[in-house]
Amino acid sequence: MLTLDAEGGQIEMTPRQATVLAMLASCLGQSLTRDRLIHGIWGDDPPLTAVNSVQVTISGLRRQLRQAGPGEFVLTARQGYALSTSTVTTDLLVMDAYRAIAADARSVGRDAAAIEALRRAIDLWRDDPMPDIRAPFADEFRLKAVERHIETLTEWIDANIRCGRSAIVIERIRDSLSRFPWHQGLYARLMACLHNSGRTQDALDLYRQLRSALSHSFGTEPSPLVARLHQAILRNDYPVELA
């Protein structure tokens, strides 16, 4: 059994109920047809009992979620099902809200407020946004979630670089590279922050390490972004920025 935290405590769910809830939450604000739910759960080879299984799962999920408070959490809409946006939110939606706040703050020159909003956004990240969910849709969702997290992370890094705060983000970038070891955009930003913090030799050493690792593992060269930054550091451009 899996559980969902709610104001009244924990709600027990079967793995199938948790999978359906996760899929609905990943598309919050959209209606998912029964066929789309079936494909998301079983892929291209659903069992003969798939239609009945989805209906039973939805019914059971509704009963369980009623423990979380008044009103319906799972709605029937447009020949499908959707979560009520008035009672449910997700970390990704909150992250997007913080990104919007940051964009508004930056547009009026409030750089410190933009940096703080982006920090709150990246602090929402969990290494696996759907732990214990094993279904075809979840793998695709994880990839999209990682992309959005890295986009937000790089916005935060770039905002700090523009404000002359390169040194304070170095360890956060290193930590992120331990989780996303081949993301060259993060390597480029770490090189920039090291150089801007007076650690030019460390930045050049990092470039050589990356180039050697890429050649050995993939037979490729660093990306154009990393290569351009490397040349800027060799010219001793200061400070270097990426956005």
Side-chain angles (χ1 to χ4, degrees), residues 8-97:
Q10 289 191 323
I11 300 169
E12 290 188 345
M13 292 181 291
T14 66
R16 180 63 46 73
Q17 289 170 348
T19 297
V20 169
L21 178 62
M23 190 171 181
L24 292 171
S26 73
C27 300
L28 193 61
Q30 302 177 38
S31 175
L32 299 185
T33 65
R34 185 179 59 195
D35 288 345
R36 187 171 172 187
L37 284 170
I38 289 172
H39 187 269
I41 296 168
W42 289 286
D44 295 327
D45 190 26
L48 295 176
T49 58
V51 171
N52 183 65
S53 179
V54 166
Q55 292 173 337
V56 170
T57 300
I58 290 289
S59 296
L61 183 59
R62 280 174 165 157
R63 286 194 301 272
Q64 296 300 89
L65 290 176
R66 288 188 183 112
Q67 300 176 39
E72 286 291 339
F73 286 76
V74 181
L75 308 176
T76 301
R78 298 180 185 177
Q79 299 181 339
Y81 304 98
L83 287 181
S84 169
T85 56
S86 65
T87 53
V88 179
T89 191
T90 66
D91 283 351
L92 282 179
L93 288 181
V94 175
M95 182 188 75
D96 288 342

Side-chain angles (χ1 to χ4, degrees), residues 67-153:
Q67 300 176 39
E72 286 291 339
F73 286 76
V74 181
L75 308 176
T76 301
R78 298 180 185 177
Q79 299 181 339
Y81 304 98
L83 287 181
S84 169
T85 56
S86 65
T87 53
V88 179
T89 191
T90 66
D91 283 351
L92 282 179
L93 288 181
V94 175
M95 182 188 75
D96 288 342
Y98 278 131
R99 291 179 71 179
I101 292 171
D104 289 342
R106 184 183 173 192
S107 70
V108 295
R110 298 176 61 228
D111 292 331
I115 288 172
E116 175 61 16
L118 290 169
R119 183 196 64 77
R120 290 176 179 270
I122 61 177
D123 283 349
L124 291 169
W125 175 252
R126 304 292 180 267
D127 283 337
D128 187 344
M130 287 191 176
D132 303 318
I133 302 298
R134 300 292 177 262
F137 89 91
D139 294 334
E140 181 180 352
F141 176 82
R142 289 184 181 97
L143 290 175
K144 291 180 179 179
V146 166
E147 289 175 0
R148 287 166 70 179
H149 168 65
I150 292 180
E151 286 174 1
T152 309
L153 176 63

Side-chain angles (χ1 to χ4, degrees), residues 192-208:
C193 288
L194 289 169
H195 173 66
N196 291 345
S197 303
R199 299 169 59 182
T200 299
Q201 189 57 53
D202 288 342
L204 295 174
D205 289 344
L206 182 66
Y207 174 81
R208 283 191 287 270

